[in-house]
Amino acid sequence: MLELRGVHAGYGRSEVLHGVDVAVPADGVAAVLGHNGAGKSTLLRVAVGLLRPRAGTVTLDGEDVTRLAPHQRVARGLAYVPQGQQCFPHLTAAENLRLVADGRRDGAAATAEALDLFPALRPLLRRRAGLLSGGQRQQLAIARALVTRPRLLLLDEPTEGIQPSVVAEIQDRIVELATGAGIRVLLVEQHLGFALRVATRHYVLESGRVTATGDGGRDAERSVRQALAV
């Protein structure tokens, strides 16, 4: 389980997170919801080790990883998919996956398993990633992260700018990963309906503070909208 406790973090003189507590359930998905500028992406950067907190702790399965570098956290089972369907645009989809798979003993098998989750990528493997649609690039980014066989997947706005049919497919894959593959997920999202459908637990982040928390599910959507005034 990933836990962030009493986390203060920011950039330069500006503090973005003010004593944030977030825990990923041992058997599911934690969704962090909030408007732009609430501190959601900063929270993920702290979780993966790209930003060291000014105070507070980050623990993974009871181990304090607050001072560990990102590659050390990846070695412990974290995988991070940043916002923006990030890929290497001049490489093919297959080459994007191979960058992660090469050097791994189980790279070929892990790649095949990732493609089984996103079969729409198979006919596109020889196409340059920069020529894929936004939804296809997002699927590729998630598949590439899964090649590392993570125990915990961190997703930053995976539905941003993506057509509804692909949003539904990504939603199904997240549920499948959490319930079938046993991969825990920390999801940052603005699409409330999507996030709450896949979440076991949700947190509302406003101006760098957790202002509401509760279980996931569609029944939570009304209270979350009230908390966010939307």
Side-chain angles (χ1 to χ4, degrees):
M1 178 185 296
L2 179 75
E3 294 187 68
L4 295 92
R5 295 297 179 201
V7 168
H8 293 256
Y11 309 93
R13 296 183 178 180
S14 175
E15 184 161 290
V16 178
L17 300 178
H18 312 281
V20 169
D21 294 339
V22 168
V24 179
D27 59 350
V29 180
V32 179
L33 311 167
H35 298 298
N36 284 333
K40 302 186 304 297
S41 293
T42 297
L43 180 72
L44 287 189
R45 289 175 61 83
V46 171
V48 79
L50 293 171
L51 180 65
R52 181 169 292 184
R54 297 172 178 177
T57 60
V58 181
T59 60
L60 180 62
D61 292 330
E63 178 189 4
D64 189 340
V65 298
T66 310
R67 296 186 175 277
L68 295 188
H71 73 274
Q72 294 173 304
R73 302 188 196 196
V74 169
R76 284 162 171 76
L78 267 66
Y80 174 47
V81 181
Q83 187 177 8
Q85 305 118 38
Q86 293 191 17
C87 61
F88 296 96
H90 298 297
L91 300 181
T92 66
E95 289 167 339
N96 268 267
L97 295 171
R98 199 174 302 131
L99 281 174
V100 181
D102 283 352
R104 296 185 60 87
R105 188 183 311 171
D106 60 347
T111 299
E113 290 173 14
L115 290 172
D116 286 343
L117 279 171
F118 295 104
L121 291 175
R122 288 191 182 278
L124 305 172
L125 288 175
R126 295 187 178 183
R127 187 175 299 181
R128 279 198 284 181
L131 300 178
L132 301 178
S133 70
Q136 291 164 345
R137 286 196 304 273
Q138 187 63 282
Q139 291 178 80
L140 177 60
I142 297 172
R144 190 175 59 201
L146 292 173
V147 172
T148 67
R149 294 191 187 275
R151 294 184 297 119
L152 174 64
L153 184 63
L154 282 64
L155 299 174
D156 193 353
E157 302 280 6
T159 69
E160 183 182 41
I162 293 178
Q163 59 268 38
S165 61
V166 179
V167 169
E169 185 171 352
I170 290 174
Q171 173 185 306
D172 291 344
R173 297 293 81 77
I174 292 174
V175 171
E176 185 175 346
L177 289 170
T179 60
I183 297 175
R184 294 161 286 181
V185 179
L186 178 57
L187 168 69
V188 157
E189 186 56 70
Q190 288 195 70
H191 189 316
L192 299 186
F194 165 85
L196 292 172
R197 279 192 292 272
V198 301
T200 310
R201 189 78 180 161
H202 76 265
Y203 297 85
V204 175
L205 197 62
E206 293 186 81
S207 301
R209 292 179 171 85
V210 174
T211 58
T213 185
D215 294 334
R218 294 184 179 182
D219 292 342
E221 186 167 350
R222 181 175 181 180
S223 64
V224 171
R225 289 191 177 277
Q226 290 175 340
L228 292 170
V230 296

